[in-house]
């Protein structure tokens, strides 16, 4: 059953709060200029009680009109400086909802033309963040491209990406991915009610959200639910195997002070207790084992039959157009915020390399030496940052592109621009710094420290080019800026052409040639 959108000549009610009809009931949004916005529309029921560690279920239908003008509960998580959450948002388990931004063109579209849809998956190391963050407001992007934007909220950390299935039948792995698939199914069945085309859906995300994009690009369950994809800084090799997941689950039970025989009590214990134990675990794992995360997608033989990076390299990813890329200075932000999520000191990076060599039987001392030879400053902070950037983001993105380009149109980029303030702070084009450029959401001059030394005009110009490319890709399947900007040729493993996004866009043949030579074609994971 599909929802329907009424269209025609505007009448008195056309300027009232917008109401859309979904398969579960009517939802009321709000007009914000030329855009209609719905916040926290449920795509699944609250995963509480016996459903806490279960796949999402459809929401209960409702009578009347449901108010969707304010944000609901965000996924339970440990707050931290890596992902600033706006005040006024509350945590809770009733967090399976999404936001919709749709252009409003009264009387200009009597035929009810369907618009391209972009579905956003936020980042946050699989344990932080929410679709309610201001940076992900989709109004400007929706208006700039005459498209419908959807931002998905999903379970995180212990509730979404901690595989507890080794503890009993009450637990299912990859719940965060299950949530995202349920949201994509909701889009398929309901987005027409908001002016969107369910046959033209682009899935895009950043950091762990991009890691979910690359995982879903190899998941049989996700086939056909999206038709293009954009992965911004994907940690595509950060996926656990079952043994690793079981070891982390045992440690989580220790922190919960529960024996394995009482694991089922996790279904009923206070959520605050789970969040607290998960917070300790999420910090503990990367400190003890640099380069690893506590929570991440897992190979479960079902949703993820095997490691996504292997699927890419064997040409088995879904055949859809893909944009993939990274930022020039990914690791710098983790150093600035002193986050343990990524190793940024020489000692931590060397520990990571020893761990990788020990966990990969095919990693010979010669290959490890060849990789480290590409980093002559490895004993210094600068070299450690470069190694961390490449291990976590740069090379996984290249391995994804090399594999996907075997069968589908693929484009690769590198985001290099940094404002004078970010350069002075030695952040440069750090992790996530491209986000305001994609959404067009910059802070005000007084409240955006990245512009304290200038650069706002240039940033706005770069943002315009990026938004136009992303929107053209979502609409036509080709990331042309349609404004005379530099042509962006498709990626080919033989040439590895990439678009460098900077003050002026430029196409570079194999900008990371030395890294490819050192790391080789065989992916190295950190599972």
């Amino acid at each position: 059953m599909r929802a329907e959108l009424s269209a025609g000549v505007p009448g008195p009610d056309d300027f009232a709060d917008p109401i859309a009809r979904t398969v579960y009931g009517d939802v009321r949004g709000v007009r914000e200029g030329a855009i209609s916005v719905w916040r926290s529309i449920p795509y699944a029921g609250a995963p509480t009680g016996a459903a806490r560690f279960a796949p999402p279920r459809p929401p209960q239908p409702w009578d009347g009109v449901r108010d969707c003008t304010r944000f609901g509960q965000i996924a339970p998580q440990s707050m931290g400086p890596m992902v600033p959450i706006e005040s006024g948002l509350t945590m809770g388990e009733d967090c399976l909802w999404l936001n919709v931004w749709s252009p409003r063109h009264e009387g200009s579209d009597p035929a009810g033309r369907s618009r391209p849809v972009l579905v956003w998956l936020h980042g946050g190391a699989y344990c932080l963040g929410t679709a309610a963050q201001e940076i992900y407001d989709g109004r400007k992007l929706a208006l700039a491209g005459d498209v419908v934007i959807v931002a998905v909220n999903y379970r995180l950390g212990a509730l979404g990406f901690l595989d507890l299935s080794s503890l009993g039948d009450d637990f299912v792995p990859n719940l965060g991915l299950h949530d995202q698939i349920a949201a994509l199914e909701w889009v398929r069945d309901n987005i027409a009610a908001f002016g969107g085309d369910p046959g033209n859906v682009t899935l895009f995300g950043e950091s762990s959200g991009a890691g979910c994009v690359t995982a879903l690009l190899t998941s049989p369950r996700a086939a056909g639910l999206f038709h293009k994809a954009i992965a911004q800084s994907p940690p595509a090799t950060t996926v656990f195997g079952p043994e690793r997941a079981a070891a982390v689950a045992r440690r989580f039970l220790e922190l919960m002070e529960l024996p394995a025989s009482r694991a089922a009590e996790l279904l009923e214990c206070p959520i605050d207790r789970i969040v607290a134990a998960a917070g300790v675990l999420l910090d503990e794992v990367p400190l003890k084992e640099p380069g690893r995360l506590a929570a991440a997608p897992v190979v479960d033989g079902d949703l993820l039959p095997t490691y996504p990076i292997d699927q890419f390299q064997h040409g088995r990813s879904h055949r859809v157009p893909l944009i993939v890329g990274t930022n020039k200075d990914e690791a710098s932000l983790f150093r600035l915020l002193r986050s343990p999520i990524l190793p940024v000191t020489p000692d931590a990076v060397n520990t990571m390399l020893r761990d990788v060599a020990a966990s990969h039987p095919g990693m010979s001392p010669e290959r490890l030496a060849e990789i480290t030879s590409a980093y002559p400053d490895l004993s210094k902070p600068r070299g450690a940052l470069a190694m961390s950037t490449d291990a976590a983001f740069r090379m996984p993105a290249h391995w994804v592109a090399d594999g996907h380009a075997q069968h589908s149109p693929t484009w690769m980029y590198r985001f290099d621009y940094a404002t004078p303030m970010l350069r002075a702070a030695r952040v440069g084009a750090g992790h996530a710094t491209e986000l305001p450029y994609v959404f067009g959401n910059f802070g005000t001059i007084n409240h955006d420290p990245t512009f304290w030394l200038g650069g706002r005009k240039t940033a706005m110009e770069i943002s315009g080019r990026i938004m136009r490319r992303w929107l053209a890709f979502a609409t036509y399947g080709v990331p042309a800026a349609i404004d005379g900007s530099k042509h962006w040729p498709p990626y080919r493993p033989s040439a590895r052409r990439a678009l460098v996004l900077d003050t002026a866009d430029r196409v570079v043949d194999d900008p990371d040639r030395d890294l490819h030579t050192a790391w080789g074609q065989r992916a190295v994971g950190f599972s």
Side-chain angles (χ1 to χ4, degrees):
M1 177 180 180
R2 295 202 186 279
E4 298 177 353
L5 173 68
S6 61
V9 178
D13 294 337
D14 197 63
F15 299 94
D17 289 341
I19 295 177
R21 176 166 297 172
T22 78
V23 298
Y24 305 109
D26 293 352
V27 290
R28 177 186 292 107
V30 63
R31 303 282 194 198
E32 295 185 358
I35 298 293
S36 296
V37 184
W38 290 262
R39 296 182 174 92
S40 298
I41 303 173
Y43 63 83
T48 56
R52 176 176 277 174
F53 295 99
R57 306 160 301 172
Q60 289 294 321
W62 57 85
D63 297 322
V65 180
R66 185 184 184 111
D67 183 82
C68 289
T69 60
R70 295 180 296 274
F71 291 123
Q73 296 177 337
I74 69 171
Q77 58 192 274
S78 298
M79 299 298 186
M82 278 298 295
V83 180
I85 303 297
E86 286 74 22
S87 61
L89 297 175
T90 59
M91 291 190 296
E93 291 186 82
D94 191 6
C95 61
L96 303 187
W97 49 257
L98 48 77
N99 307 319
V100 177
W101 293 266
S102 182
R104 165 190 172 205
H105 295 292
E106 292 99 346
S108 64
D109 199 11
R113 179 181 60 87
S114 296
R115 297 173 172 88
V117 181
L118 290 94
V119 178
W120 176 252
L121 303 181
H122 69 80
Y126 301 106
C127 61
L128 301 168
T130 170
Q133 288 170 251
E134 289 182 7
I135 189 67
Y136 306 135
D137 188 296
R139 284 177 293 177
K140 293 179 181 177
L141 198 57
L143 190 59
D146 194 23
V147 299
V148 175
I149 305 295
V150 178
V152 179
N153 216 61
Y154 51 91
R155 280 175 283 186
L156 302 168
L159 301 176
F161 289 96
L162 198 62
D163 176 14
L164 305 177
S165 61
S166 59
L167 305 178
D169 294 337
D170 293 315
F171 307 97
V172 173
N174 289 319
L175 288 172
L177 295 179
H178 278 281
D179 293 346
Q180 293 161 6
I181 289 174
L184 287 167
E185 291 171 339
W186 184 97
V187 168
R188 177 195 62 199
D189 297 337
N190 293 279
I191 205 61
F194 303 84
D197 181 0
N200 187 7
V201 175
T202 298
L203 184 65
F204 72 137
E206 183 268 344
S207 192
S208 59
C212 293
V213 171
T214 53
L216 293 175
L217 274 165
T218 70
S219 173
R221 281 276 311 279
L225 292 177
F226 58 95
H227 314 96
K228 307 177 197 70
I230 304 173
Q232 301 168 204
S233 304
T237 55
T238 301
V239 178
F240 289 164
E243 292 182 6
R244 166 73 185 173
V248 175
R250 290 193 296 271
R251 177 56 183 154
F252 179 66
L253 274 189
E254 291 176 2
L255 292 170
M256 290 292 299
E257 299 181 344
L258 286 174
S261 60
R262 293 169 53 195
E265 293 181 22
L266 290 171
L267 299 173
E268 301 174 353
C269 71
I271 191 63
D272 290 348
R273 186 179 166 197
I274 289 178
V275 170
V280 174
L281 183 70
L282 295 168
D283 284 342
E284 178 184 280
V285 169
L287 284 172
K288 288 184 176 180
E289 303 173 85
R292 296 182 186 270
L293 297 177
V298 298
V299 175
D300 59 7
D302 176 25
L303 204 64
L304 295 183
T306 186
Y307 290 96
I309 200 66
D310 290 343
Q311 296 283 74
F312 278 105
Q313 294 206 305
H314 288 92
R316 293 196 290 264
S317 50
H318 297 320
R319 281 155 169 71
V320 301
L322 171 67
I323 292 175
V324 60
T326 59
N327 295 358
K328 183 180 180 182
D329 308 300
E330 294 279 4
S332 62
L333 188 69
F334 298 89
R335 178 196 60 190
L336 178 71
L337 298 177
R338 299 181 179 179
S339 168
I341 292 174
L342 210 64
V344 294
T345 66
D347 286 346
V349 167
N350 282 320
T351 299
M352 175 187 72
L353 292 173
R354 288 193 296 271
D355 186 19
V356 168
S359 60
H360 287 75
M363 176 67 77
S364 65
E366 291 78 15
R367 187 181 180 199
L368 187 60
E370 189 171 7
I371 292 174
T372 57
S373 68
Y375 303 88
D377 295 331
L378 193 56
S379 62
K380 301 176 182 177
R382 180 174 60 183
L385 286 173
M387 167 64 83
S388 196
T389 287
D390 297 339
F393 300 107
R394 184 95 73 233
M395 291 312 302
H398 275 294
W399 290 322
V400 164
D402 282 346
H404 199 71
Q406 296 177 43
H407 56 71
S408 295
T410 303
W411 288 266
M412 172 155 269
Y413 73 87
R414 193 180 73 199
F415 180 78
D416 279 21
Y417 181 71
T419 64
M421 184 66 187
L422 289 177
R423 291 197 299 270
R426 295 190 301 158
V427 172
H431 189 64
T433 57
E434 90 286 3
L435 287 173
Y437 296 80
V438 170
F439 284 91
N441 293 331
F442 296 99
T444 63
I445 293 176
N446 293 330
H447 294 92
D448 192 334
T450 61
F451 294 123
W452 283 355
L453 296 180
R456 188 179 185 89
K457 180 181 178 181
T458 300
M460 296 296 288
E461 293 172 350
I462 296 170
S463 174
R465 292 200 303 273
I466 292 175
M467 291 173 70
R468 286 189 289 274
R469 291 188 188 278
W470 266 224
L471 291 166
F473 178 74
T475 303
Y476 306 110
V478 178
I482 321 178
D483 59 1
S485 295
K486 188 75 176 179
H487 173 62
W488 187 357
Y491 182 90
R492 299 280 187 271
S494 57
R496 295 198 175 96
R497 287 184 172 181
L499 183 71
V500 176
L501 300 165
D502 206 338
T503 305
D505 293 349
R506 64 187 190 276
V507 175
V508 180
D509 287 346
D510 204 354
D512 302 310
R513 181 180 292 105
D514 292 344
L515 297 181
H516 284 287
T517 301
W519 285 84
Q521 300 307 303
R522 191 154 50 102
V524 178
F526 294 86
S527 58

